[in-house]
Amino acid sequence: MNTDRTSINIIFVCTGNICRSPSAEGIFKSIVAENGLEDRFNIDSAGTDSYHNGEAADSRMRKHAGKRGYSLTSRSRKLNHDDLEKFDYIIAMDYGNYQQISRYDRKGLADGKLCMMNDFSAVFEGLDVPDPWYGGPDGFETVLDMLEDGCRGLLEYLKKEYEL
Ligand code: 4NP
């Protein structure tokens, strides 16, 4: 991922980087493209854990996302200290992820950059994006509903912030 000072650098973070954050990445990329703003953004995702390092997004997640027209192409990787430094917004899917990133950030590299996906939600304000890994199909649909809402809110926020 080529982060640079002229782009707005966004990374979505969940636990395994195979369900929620790859979906957030795919949805946000799609909304940014609809708005013709691809050139202004670097968009990535990562996990707090490395269990699924190198894996494609979960097949169930890809199937549900695909039905809504999103293609999930990321490969799982663990969040690293470089990410904390390079990205402008580090967006956690749930409060456990938020706490884990805070603890990992011993040097305060993410100070002022760490936020929750639900900070930008209108409909799902205040709610974690729940881990769908052990649940049924409804869980994947809920994740997508929440991420569509949050990603739209995030872009509206950034449009104002950067006068896009
Ligand atoms: P994610 O979901 O954090 O949305 O990618 C998970 C996927 C796998 C595991 C946990 C969460 N796992 O424990 O293997």
Side-chain angles (χ1 to χ4, degrees), residues 13-23 46-49 51-52 58 60-61 76 93-94 97 129-134 140 143:
V13 184
C14 61
T15 308
N17 191 214
I18 53 169
C19 294
R20 293 166 293 173
S21 61
S23 301
T48 55
D49 294 293
Y51 315 129
H52 297 279
D58 179 272
R60 298 163 297 172
M61 192 76 254
S76 175
M93 294 295 120
D94 66 36
N97 300 145
V129 181
D131 178 358
W133 178 252
Y134 293 108
F140 292 92
V143 165

Side-chain angles (χ1 to χ4, degrees), residues 20-164:
R20 293 166 293 173
S21 61
S23 301
E25 177 186 339
I27 291 169
F28 192 62
K29 279 180 174 167
S30 166
I31 294 173
V32 162
E34 273 168 28
N35 282 264
L37 291 167
E38 301 100 309
D39 294 349
R40 300 301 313 274
F41 285 94
N42 284 314
I43 303 161
D44 200 357
S45 66
T48 55
D49 294 293
S50 57
Y51 315 129
H52 297 279
N53 209 17
E55 290 178 21
D58 179 272
S59 58
R60 298 163 297 172
M61 192 76 254
R62 278 189 281 134
K63 185 182 96 185
H64 285 269
K67 278 197 220 152
R68 298 193 191 198
Y70 306 114
S71 145
L72 309 184
T73 56
S74 65
R75 290 273 163 183
S76 175
R77 71 174 183 86
K78 189 178 183 297
L79 185 75
N80 59 50
H81 285 114
D82 232 23
D83 295 323
L84 301 181
E85 194 163 9
K86 284 184 187 162
F87 284 91
D88 303 308
Y89 294 87
I90 299 159
I91 303 180
M93 294 295 120
D94 66 36
Y95 191 56
N97 300 145
Y98 183 98
Q99 287 178 307
Q100 201 152 342
I101 299 164
S102 296
R103 280 197 297 273
Y104 175 65
D105 183 24
R106 293 183 301 277
K107 293 186 179 163
L109 298 169
D111 281 355
K113 302 174 177 185
L114 182 55
C115 39
M116 296 277 299
M117 190 74 244
N118 71 41
D119 289 341
F120 305 101
S121 290
V123 182
F124 300 99
E125 195 186 345
L127 297 176
D128 281 348
V129 181
D131 178 358
W133 178 252
Y134 293 108
D138 288 357
F140 292 92
E141 290 298 319
T142 300
V143 165
L144 293 168
D145 289 343
M146 294 180 107
L147 293 177
E148 284 180 334
D149 178 40
C151 286
R152 275 191 214 105
L154 173 62
L155 185 59
E156 287 315 304
Y157 169 82
L158 294 170
K159 277 183 173 176
K160 289 194 190 119
E161 197 69 9
Y162 292 87
E163 300 180 355
L164 300 173

